[in-house]
Amino acid sequence: GIQVEQSPPDLILQEGANSTLRCNFSDSVNNLQWFHQNPWGQLINLFYIPSGTKQNGRLSATTVATERYSLLYISSSQTTDSGVYFCAVERVGGSEKLVFGKGTKLTVNP
Amino acid sequence: EADIYQTPRYLVIGTGKKITLECSQTMGHDKMYWYQQDPGMELHLIHYSYGVNSTEKGDLSSESTVSRIRTEHFPLTLESARPSHTSQYLCASSGHFSTDTQYFGPGTRLTVL
């Protein structure tokens, strides 16, 4: 099956700092989504981004499908950004099932 | 934004009990999913459904079963719970198109003693 690798596994920032999270995948995809899981376990969809660039406030994401990676940018981080960020992909011909990476655990300190 | 609900949020039970985890969504989504997630780990798909009377097993083998009799309802059942079933169970749904995003419920944290 498709492999999804996220880096770094852990990231600690001071409030106000910027960060870049990376997701590499091993096969062609037709669906890629970024999620944030808050400390209480709730998962929120951040982006649907199988290719191209999108921005939503302080967050933006870029997927370079031909090189099989996606980046999530967080600018001016806040303590509420803490949690785990997951990348999930569906490979071409993958029966519309998402495969999740192991996540990046982000801690933003005040 | 989809509204998707799970009950109970927390459940502590003894070994051998039968349990049903409830999941309901109010957006009329065709597709629904159950994931299992151990603390600090990734999500694993255990069941999915593309519509009423459609259920399939996911990538992670599970002793649980599911049913989809109504579009909005996708319950998960464990006939005889064991300590190895202790985990968080997350329900999700998405619309008809493959480009639709998945929306997650708040999860059920299950502990089997």
Side-chain angles (χ1 to χ4, degrees):
Chain A
I2 192 169
Q3 304 299 312
V4 183
E5 295 182 0
Q6 292 187 242
S7 60
D10 294 278
L11 185 59
I12 300 174
L13 301 174
Q14 287 299 121
E15 203 167 23
N18 302 327
S19 62
T20 301
L21 283 58
R22 187 177 180 103
C23 172
N24 293 332
F25 43 95
S26 62
D27 205 345
S28 298
V29 299
N30 54 19
N31 189 340
L32 187 148
Q33 299 182 33
W34 282 96
F35 295 88
H36 173 227
Q37 186 170 39
N38 66 23
W40 297 271
Q42 176 73 57
L43 273 131
I44 301 296
N45 185 283
L46 299 175
F47 293 104
Y48 166 82
I49 187 164
S51 64
T53 297
K54 288 186 178 180
Q55 181 159 4
N56 184 3
R58 296 181 296 104
L59 273 58
S60 64
T62 294
T63 297
V64 184
T66 53
E67 297 188 20
R68 299 183 181 171
Y69 72 89
S70 183
L71 302 174
L72 178 68
Y73 306 97
I74 304 174
S75 64
S76 305
S77 58
Q78 301 175 357
T79 56
T80 53
D81 294 331
S82 296
V84 182
Y85 290 81
F86 288 102
C87 169
V89 304
E90 174 203 334
R91 68 174 178 82
V92 174
S95 302
E96 302 180 57
K97 296 184 291 182
L98 289 177
V99 176
F100 281 74
K102 294 183 184 297
T104 292
K105 183 178 180 181
L106 175 65
T107 303
V108 181
N109 292 320
Chain B
E1 188 85 15
D3 290 323
I4 182 163
Y5 308 96
Q6 290 186 244
T7 58
R9 293 291 312 279
Y10 302 92
L11 181 61
V12 181
I13 60 166
T15 296
K17 299 292 186 183
K18 177 180 178 179
I19 61 167
T20 296
L21 309 184
E22 302 287 349
C23 176
S24 295
Q25 49 94 6
T26 60
M27 298 303 291
H29 284 169
D30 291 327
K31 300 171 196 168
M32 297 189 74
Y33 310 85
W34 276 102
Y35 294 88
Q36 185 174 340
Q37 183 187 29
D38 292 328
M41 303 296 285
E42 68 267 46
L43 282 71
H44 293 286
L45 182 68
I46 52 175
H47 297 284
Y48 60 101
S49 167
Y50 290 156
V52 171
N53 294 325
S54 153
T55 61
E56 300 286 344
K57 289 189 178 294
D59 299 324
L60 181 68
S61 176
S62 174
E63 294 168 348
S64 58
T65 59
V66 292
S67 63
R68 189 91 182 274
I69 299 172
R70 302 198 315 265
T71 298
E72 63 272 22
H73 194 213
F74 191 39
L76 181 146
T77 298
L78 275 167
E79 290 292 333
S80 180
R82 296 206 301 267
S84 61
H85 296 138
T86 295
S87 190
Q88 172 157 258
Y89 293 84
L90 292 156
C91 181
S93 71
S94 65
H96 176 75
F97 299 102
S98 61
T99 54
D100 289 333
T101 58
Q102 285 194 17
Y103 296 93
F104 279 81
T108 294
R109 196 172 296 276
L110 173 65
T111 302
V112 184
L113 303 176

